[in-house]
Amino acid sequence: MILHELISYDVLRLIWWLLLGILLVGFAVMDGFDLGTGMLLPFAGRTDLERRVVINTIGPVWEGNQVWLILGGGAIFAAWPQLYAVSFSGFYLAMFAILFALILRPVAFKFRSKYDEARWRNTWDWLLFVGGFVPALICGVALGNVLQGVPFRLEPDMQIHYTGSFFGLLNPFALLTGVLSVVMLVMHGAAWLQLKADGAVADRARRFGSVAAVLTAALFALAGVLMYKFVGGYQITSAVVPTGPSNPLLKTVVQQAGAWFANYAAHPWLYVVPALGVGGALLAWLAMLARRSLLGLLCSGLSVAGIVLSVGVSMFPFILPSSIDPRASLTVWDSSSSHLTLFIMLVCVAIFLPMILAYTSWVYSVLRGKVDADDIANDRGHAY
């Protein structure tokens, strides 16, 4: 027996769909509080020392957290090449805006405190805000567009034709999901600040986070209602061949009202996923009010995970539907790499993902505890 045939092609495709979800959740949860903290920086910190406290809560970990973004991009490239090709070409300007904002962050971290002048530092503080706000907003807008369908079609030779525009992405439903993404990460960043900071910084973070948590639950519920009533969804009408070739054009697909809720109707236990999104946010709100900082962070993380996973659960088996040629929609069963490639990549994940989890856990264990303002004022042990 050939080694890669130990796991069937359909099972490998399903495993990689699950891994993609895990990596996206890892990015949203781990790097999400970095982005949220950046958005809160000009508001949670009033004085220069307070802002240095905010920056130093994420200073030692933000670079490591971005590993999840790299892993997610690498997984899409290796396991779902058609998804990579369509999304990175169709969302080119949006991706460029995200990368530009993410590039601002390391520059701002490194240069912000190099020069002791108020205007200089304030400028970099607002650039850190932009570095958190822009990725949060655009990622949310992108997910809103994915749920509605993306305007692309495929030629028989798999050549991609994207007919949309950057401003076409900014439709009402996508803007709603973009705002949801922003308030969700503000909630998560506030929960992190409450855990890692003391005094006025933690108090302000608690106030902002409480409002953001309630808004997260409300906007997520509103997005669900609007998706059910106005967005609809997509459904495969031909036979599904889980082990078939990676050619999306071999199936037929129709747009259908309520299709994104079909998986919940077939498997009611899946409602636990969106319930985590709403319930986690409300529990985070209660935990913040009760000053239970660790519980607040855990609950906000559950809410983030629930909201991100709800998209995947609703759309399965679709990964990227096409609004102008539904049969070109990419699904789990017809847009993956080969059987052998998926197996080799799975072996790599089995080796390296536990290593990443191990060193990440070790770093957070070593760096546990609150950031001390006196230590920062006396330049003891803090880089920023």
Side-chain angles (χ1 to χ4, degrees):
M1 176 183 289
I2 301 174
L3 189 60
H4 70 273
E5 293 181 353
L6 291 172
I7 305 177
S8 65
Y9 199 11
D10 57 330
V11 172
L12 275 173
R13 283 171 159 169
L14 186 59
I15 289 173
W16 271 101
W17 176 77
L18 291 171
L19 283 173
L20 179 60
I22 291 170
L23 294 175
L24 292 177
V25 168
F27 169 64
V29 172
M30 300 301 294
D31 205 34
F33 66 74
D34 294 340
L35 300 175
T37 299
M39 286 187 278
L40 285 169
L41 173 61
F43 310 103
R46 301 285 175 81
T47 66
D48 180 68
L49 180 59
E50 288 177 349
R51 291 185 177 185
R52 288 191 67 192
V53 169
V54 173
I55 292 171
N56 278 281
T57 62
I58 58 174
V61 297
W62 71 269
E63 289 176 294
N65 289 340
Q66 288 201 158
V67 167
W68 293 96
L69 175 62
I70 298 169
L71 287 174
I76 293 174
F77 176 79
W80 309 102
Q82 291 173 320
L83 173 62
Y84 181 90
V86 174
S87 58
F88 277 70
S89 59
F91 296 155
Y92 181 80
L93 289 179
M95 295 284 186
F96 184 84
I98 291 174
L99 290 175
F100 180 76
L102 292 176
I103 288 169
L104 286 178
R105 289 207 300 166
V107 178
F109 276 120
K110 299 300 182 183
F111 286 113
R112 189 261 178 203
S113 295
K114 297 297 185 183
Y115 182 46
D116 190 6
E117 197 272 326
R119 180 179 295 181
W120 169 271
R121 294 189 172 189
N122 190 58
T123 299
W124 289 115
D125 290 341
W126 281 102
L127 288 176
L128 279 171
F129 167 83
V130 170
F133 177 79
V134 171
L137 178 67
I138 293 182
C139 286
V141 167
L143 283 180
N145 279 280
V146 168
L147 285 166
Q148 295 174 94
V150 177
F152 74 93
R153 59 185 175 83
L154 299 175
E155 296 289 352
D157 62 357
M158 296 296 106
Q159 183 180 357
I160 301 163
H161 295 275
Y162 179 81
T163 61
S165 66
F166 176 78
F167 292 104
L169 300 175
L170 305 179
N171 56 78
F173 181 77
L175 288 174
L176 172 64
T177 56
V179 173
L180 168 60
S181 176
V182 169
V183 298
M184 175 185 76
L185 297 188
V186 167
M187 168 191 69
H188 200 37
W192 173 258
L193 272 180
Q194 185 178 358
L195 177 68
K196 295 293 289 183
D198 271 324
V201 172
D203 290 338
R204 294 188 197 107
R206 185 179 303 111
R207 291 197 296 271
F208 286 116
S210 299
V211 174
V214 174
L215 285 175
T216 297
L219 291 176
F220 182 49
L222 175 62
V225 172
L226 293 178
M227 188 171 73
Y228 181 78
K229 288 186 173 293
F230 302 108
V231 174
Y234 295 77
Q235 184 177 28
I236 299 174
T237 56
S238 57
V240 176
V241 185
T243 58
S246 290
N247 185 347
L249 299 178
L250 297 179
K251 66 181 181 302
T252 56
V253 176
V254 296
Q255 291 180 276
Q256 183 172 310
W260 287 158
F261 290 83
N263 289 333
Y264 297 106
H267 308 285
W269 62 270
L270 289 174
Y271 277 110
V272 72
V273 180
L276 278 178
V278 175
L282 295 177
L283 288 174
W285 169 59
L286 294 174
M288 289 183 197
L289 293 179
R291 300 175 185 268
R292 300 290 297 275
S293 55
L294 180 58
L295 180 61
L297 181 64
L298 293 175
C299 290
S300 68
L302 283 176
S303 177
V304 172
I307 290 172
V308 174
L309 290 174
S310 293
V311 177
V313 169
S314 299
M315 292 177 56
F316 182 85
F318 289 89
I319 300 177
L320 189 65
S322 170
S323 59
I324 61 173
D325 184 11
R327 71 182 185 128
S329 300
L330 309 182
T331 75
V332 172
W333 312 123
D334 61 20
S335 59
S336 72
S337 294
S338 68
H339 192 170
L340 178 60
T341 299
L342 294 183
F343 181 80
I344 293 173
M345 292 301 299
L346 183 62
V347 172
C348 294
V349 168
I351 295 171
F352 292 107
L353 187 58
M355 294 171 59
I356 293 171
L357 294 173
Y359 78 65
T360 300
S361 301
W362 176 77
V363 167
Y364 278 90
S365 175
V366 170
L367 298 174
R368 65 186 180 276
K370 293 185 179 290
V371 174
D372 192 296
D374 291 334
D375 286 345
I376 293 176
N378 296 316
D379 289 325
R380 293 199 299 262
H382 290 276
Y384 303 107

